[in-house]
Every structure is written in C-alpha cells, then in structure tokens.
Amino acid sequence: VQLQASGGGLVQAGGSLRLSCVASGGVYRENDMAWYRQAPGKQRELVASHPYGGDADYADSVKGRFAISRDYGKNEVYLQMNSLKFEDAAVYYCNLQQKLLPSDWPQSFWGRGTLVTVSS
C-alpha cells in the first residue's frame, strides 16, 4: 500500500489548509485512516482518526478546528485545518490500517508526510 499526502505549505496563523492523502495498491475495502503529526524534537502524535464506517475522533488540541473526512470510493482521507496556530506546525503523516481477517494483526502503512508551517 502506498500513501501519498499533499496540501501542506506555509500559512499565516489563523489561516486554513486542507491536506489530502490517497491510498493505492492493495488497499482493502475496510480500513481505518488517520492523520498524525510530528514537530521537531517531539514524538509523533495522533491528530485525527476516521475508522471505516465509524466516527471521527480528534486530539484535544485540534477539536473544533480540524475536521477529518474520507472518500471511500477514492481511498482518500482529508484533513481540513482551520484557525491554525503556531503549535500546529509539523510534518503531517497519513496512516492506514487494515486487516484481511478480523483475527489478523492489523497492517499499518505510512505516507511520507507533508510539511505545514505556520507563520505570524
């Protein structure tokens, strides 16, 4: 499975960006997708998740500002980021997890990341 993220860039504080990630190659129909981020010197953290057929969940730090959505037909996941803050600056990674059988250990795949920079 390959994941290609895009949409990062430079934005002023208070601005908005929309990230996209498309999955291809061996993607199962039912999969969970999520966005993580990693700032310099910090651990990678979960930003938002969207399990297959389930409800979205968010890190407390982005609730009310970010929205994750999916296009199941296109195997794409999006992250709409509004009211961006300096602390949102990071490399954002999309993640896909899937299982062939319910009893299987989930496979986990990562994209290469897209950089979000927030300026004053």
Side-chain angles (χ1 to χ4, degrees), residues 73-90:
K74 295 181 179 179
N75 287 327
E76 292 191 7
V77 63
Y78 312 99
L79 187 67
Q80 178 66 42
M81 305 186 295
N82 300 325
S83 302
L84 281 160
K85 304 176 180 180
F86 296 121
E87 52 263 41
D88 294 320

Side-chain angles (χ1 to χ4, degrees), residues 66-120:
F66 290 12
I68 187 172
S69 59
R70 297 184 60 171
D71 186 324
Y72 289 105
K74 295 181 179 179
N75 287 327
E76 292 191 7
V77 63
Y78 312 99
L79 187 67
Q80 178 66 42
M81 305 186 295
N82 300 325
S83 302
L84 281 160
K85 304 176 180 180
F86 296 121
E87 52 263 41
D88 294 320
V91 177
Y92 284 71
Y93 299 89
C94 61
N95 173 261
L96 181 150
Q97 294 195 8
Q98 63 184 21
K99 294 189 287 188
L100 181 60
L101 298 173
S103 58
D104 288 346
W105 194 260
Q107 305 171 341
S108 184
F109 302 94
W110 294 91
R112 292 184 65 180
T114 185
L115 178 64
V116 172
T117 305
V118 182
S119 67
S120 57

Side-chain angles (χ1 to χ4, degrees), residues 1-17:
V1 173
Q2 295 81 44
L3 298 171
Q4 181 65 50
S6 61
L10 175 64
V11 63
Q12 284 190 323
S16 298
L17 279 177

Side-chain angles (χ1 to χ4, degrees), residues 18-42:
R18 185 175 186 251
L19 306 183
S20 300
C21 177
V22 58
S24 61
V27 180
Y28 300 157
R29 187 175 66 90
E30 297 184 11
N31 56 70
D32 302 334
M33 298 191 80
W35 287 97
Y36 287 73
R37 68 186 180 188
Q38 187 168 19
K42 294 188 176 182

